[in-house]
Amino acid sequence: AVKDKLRKNGSSELDSALIRYFVSGLLDTVQPPLTVPFCNSFFGLLLERQCVDALKSQHFANSRRDEIIQLINQVERRGIEARFWSSVRPMISNVKSVYSAGE
């Protein structure tokens, strides 16, 4: 539902502050092991343009972006069954490249 609202072109249903608040709440709550559907949903959400813009703004602390990378690193180390890894790995690589420091 959140991704659908983000995909509506020109929609202001979800402003940047709400996106930052939502993602911060998820970062405060979730811990591996994560399910494949959750990874697909959450990491897919992080790749939506409106979400990227909101989370790469000066209003979202660098430390919070670091938490996204830390969560991904935890998932890579211990979070997903091997048989599902190939379906999630490309998305994880994309999220890491978008939110890594220096971007």
Side-chain angles (χ1 to χ4, degrees):
V2 174
K3 281 173 63 174
D4 292 337
K5 290 190 182 292
L6 288 173
R7 286 185 178 155
K8 288 184 180 180
N9 290 332
S11 172
S12 61
E13 289 185 57
L14 293 177
D15 68 5
S16 295
L18 183 58
I19 293 168
R20 289 188 293 270
Y21 180 78
F22 178 74
V23 171
S24 291
L26 286 174
L27 290 172
D28 290 340
T29 306
V30 299
Q31 295 178 22
L34 303 175
T35 66
V36 171
F38 178 84
C39 287
N40 286 329
S41 296
F42 183 52
F43 297 144
L45 173 71
L46 293 176
L47 291 172
E48 292 291 329
R49 180 175 173 79
Q50 193 174 356
C51 193
V52 171
D53 292 344
L55 300 181
K56 292 193 80 172
S57 77
Q58 65 184 10
H59 303 292
F60 195 71
N62 286 336
S63 62
R64 296 305 269 175
R65 281 191 289 278
D66 292 344
E67 288 178 45
I68 293 171
I69 301 303
Q70 290 169 8
L71 178 64
I72 289 171
N73 290 338
Q74 290 173 354
V75 167
E76 286 178 322
R77 283 194 302 272
R78 62 184 169 122
I80 295 181
E81 289 183 45
R83 64 187 171 128
F84 297 117
W85 185 241
S86 63
S87 68
V88 178
R89 179 176 280 157
M91 187 180 309
I92 285 176
S93 295
N94 288 338
V95 172
K96 277 178 107 169
S97 69
V98 168
Y99 292 99
S100 291
E103 291 279 323

